[in-house]
Amino acid sequence: MTSQSQGIQQLLQAEKRAKDKLDEAKKRKGKRLRQAKEEAVAETDQYRMQREKEFRLKQSKIMGSQSHLSDELEEQTLEKIKELSGSYHKCMDSVIKQLLSMVCEMKPEVHVNYRATS
C-alpha cells in the first residue's frame, strides 16, 4: 500500500511540475507577445512619423507653388481691372453723349411694317 501511495505521490508531483512548466511557458509566451506588440507599435509609429514628414514636405512644395500661382493670378486680375477701368473712363463720355442723343433726338418715322388701311 505504501508503494501505491508513493506512486500516487510521484504522479501528483509530476503533474505539479508539468503544470508549473506550462504556467512558466504561458508566462514566457505572454511576455514575448507583449514585447512583440510593443515593438510593432514602435515600428508603426516610426513609419507613420516618416510618412507624415514626407507628406508635409510634398504638401509644402505643392502649397508653395500654389501660393506663387495665386499671387501671380491676383497680379493679373489687378492688371485686368486697371485696364478695364481705364477703358471705362476713356469711353464713358462718348457713350453717354451717344445715349443722350438717341433719347433726346427723336425722328418721327412710319414703321416699315405699317400698312395704310383705307
Side-chain angles (χ1 to χ4, degrees), residues 16-29:
K16 185 176 187 239
R17 282 191 307 255
K19 183 180 178 191
D20 290 344
K21 284 186 179 183
L22 279 174
D23 289 343
E24 186 65 33
K26 285 180 182 180
K27 287 179 186 177
R28 284 194 310 263
K29 182 180 177 184

Side-chain angles (χ1 to χ4, degrees), residues 6-102:
Q6 229 178 12
I8 292 175
Q9 286 294 341
Q10 286 178 347
L11 284 174
L12 289 173
Q13 287 175 354
E15 186 179 344
K16 185 176 187 239
R17 282 191 307 255
K19 183 180 178 191
D20 290 344
K21 284 186 179 183
L22 279 174
D23 289 343
E24 186 65 33
K26 285 180 182 180
K27 287 179 186 177
R28 284 194 310 263
K29 182 180 177 184
K31 186 178 178 181
R32 280 195 316 257
L33 285 173
R34 280 192 301 276
Q35 183 181 5
K37 183 179 178 181
E38 290 171 359
E39 289 175 2
V41 166
E43 189 175 324
T44 55
D45 287 344
Q46 182 181 6
Y47 180 74
R48 183 182 303 116
M49 287 173 37
Q50 177 189 358
R51 295 297 288 179
E52 285 178 358
K53 183 179 178 182
E54 291 173 6
F55 174 74
R56 278 190 233 106
L57 282 172
K58 287 181 181 180
Q59 186 179 26
S60 67
K61 286 181 184 177
I62 291 172
M63 294 305 283
S65 65
Q66 283 183 351
S67 69
H68 174 68
L69 289 176
S70 67
D71 291 343
E72 188 176 315
L73 185 62
E74 189 168 335
E75 185 179 316
Q76 289 176 355
T77 304
L78 290 175
E79 287 177 18
K80 188 71 173 177
I81 289 172
K82 286 179 184 177
E83 180 184 320
L84 290 173
S85 179
S87 175
Y88 165 76
H89 289 298
K90 180 180 167 187
C91 298
M92 180 178 65
D93 288 335
S94 65
V95 169
I96 288 177
K97 285 179 185 177
Q98 186 179 11
L99 281 172
L100 286 174
S101 70
M102 291 174 87

